[in-house]
Amino acid sequence: EPEVTQTPSHQVTQMGQEVILRCVPISNHLYFYWYRQILGQKVEFLVSFYNNEISEKSEIFDDQFSVERPDGSNFTLKIRSTKLEDSAMYFCASSLVAGETQYFGPGTRLLVL
Amino acid sequence: DAKTTQPPSMDCAEGRAANLPCNHSTISGNEYVYWYRQIHSQGPQYIIHGLKNNETNEMASLIITEDRKSSTLILPHATLRDTAVYYCIVKGLYGGSNYKLTFGKGTLLTVNP
């Protein structure tokens, strides 16, 4: 069964460093998403992406964040200058078309020291 | 998106049916009811969704009341591996902020041996 994959599973970085989280969505899906979950808190929407453009973004997704689909398979989330409060689980998701069921990856646990 | 209300926690005996309720009294006509679950800190796992008819798949059944103001997710024979946080999410398909899933706190279902 097709699934969303994410790498790395864990990432430890120093405050102020740049990190790139990678995702491989389900192959025929066209919409891609990033969510995050700070420890003990709700899963929060960050951004959705379609046709090489951001479709929607939340207030959390400020100028420190960017997304890219650098090739036909990967979808990345970059945090330019990490802060302590960026420590969280980051989940990638994809859906066939807008509004359809979203399928999530296993997540990347980011720890900013 | 309409808001949902779920009990914070429930217990269920292994092998018995688990019935998880959700209230969504402000749901509008084109909004679907989605159920996801999250086992520990893994990525949210899609379970089932429906509009107004009852739905069943290999994981669960979804019963939606006739007025669509509430629904119940049924796990027919709960196992220890079904221990998770279950999220009921109302989401439209077309227009507005239909790209994102808005997660609440969900119901922590604990299946006991």
Side-chain angles (χ1 to χ4, degrees):
Chain A
E1 184 175 318
E3 59 184 18
V4 177
T5 59
Q6 291 184 242
T7 54
S9 58
H10 294 78
Q11 174 104 35
V12 181
T13 190
Q14 296 291 323
M15 189 170 55
Q17 295 296 303
E18 174 184 287
V19 294
I20 297 176
L21 309 182
R22 291 181 169 78
C23 167
V24 178
I26 294 173
S27 61
N28 62 337
H29 284 189
L30 301 177
Y31 280 79
F32 315 117
Y33 314 83
W34 284 101
Y35 293 78
R36 80 170 186 190
Q37 186 176 33
I38 295 170
L39 186 63
Q41 298 188 21
K42 299 177 189 178
V43 177
E44 302 173 287
F45 169 79
L46 292 178
V47 67
S48 61
F49 189 85
Y50 167 72
N51 199 26
N52 285 318
E53 289 184 353
I54 290 174
S55 306
E56 184 180 4
K57 61 182 181 179
S58 71
E59 293 178 354
I60 304 167
F61 194 88
D62 61 22
D63 292 343
Q64 292 299 315
F65 291 90
S66 63
V67 287
E68 189 180 30
R69 188 157 163 84
D71 53 44
S73 59
N74 288 286
F75 178 52
T76 62
L77 174 69
K78 182 192 290 186
I79 309 175
R80 288 190 183 80
S81 178
T82 50
K83 309 185 189 88
L84 297 176
E85 54 265 37
D86 293 327
S87 295
M89 285 290 293
Y90 287 81
F91 298 111
C92 174
S94 69
S95 65
L96 183 60
V97 294
E100 292 281 334
T101 301
Q102 295 178 28
Y103 296 89
F104 285 77
T108 293
R109 183 178 297 279
L110 176 65
L111 178 61
V112 182
L113 301 176
Chain B
D1 290 333
K3 291 184 178 178
T4 62
T5 304
Q6 298 178 253
S9 63
M10 293 183 65
D11 285 332
C12 176
E14 189 177 18
R16 304 296 295 267
N19 296 284
L20 293 96
C22 179
N23 287 322
H24 31 78
S25 58
T26 59
I27 193 170
S28 60
N30 67 344
E31 289 182 318
Y32 283 70
V33 180
Y34 277 80
W35 283 84
Y36 283 80
R37 73 180 182 183
Q38 189 175 26
I39 297 172
H40 195 43
S41 293
Q42 298 177 23
Q45 178 188 21
Y46 166 75
I47 302 173
I48 198 167
H49 74 283
L51 184 62
K52 52 185 175 183
N53 297 321
N54 298 336
E55 302 288 343
T56 296
N57 64 20
E58 64 279 3
M59 288 183 69
S61 295
L62 174 61
I63 308 297
I64 303 174
T65 58
E66 195 168 338
D67 63 9
R68 303 209 321 123
K69 292 185 177 181
S70 65
S71 60
T72 301
L73 179 75
I74 301 172
L75 307 178
H77 305 287
T79 70
L80 299 178
R81 288 176 295 180
D82 292 322
T83 293
V85 178
Y86 287 77
Y87 301 101
C88 169
I89 300 169
V90 170
K91 189 173 104 52
L93 279 186
Y94 307 109
S97 295
N98 291 316
Y99 300 110
K100 65 183 180 185
L101 293 167
T102 302
F103 288 81
K105 294 183 179 179
T107 296
L108 172 60
L109 174 69
T110 302
V111 180
N112 300 305

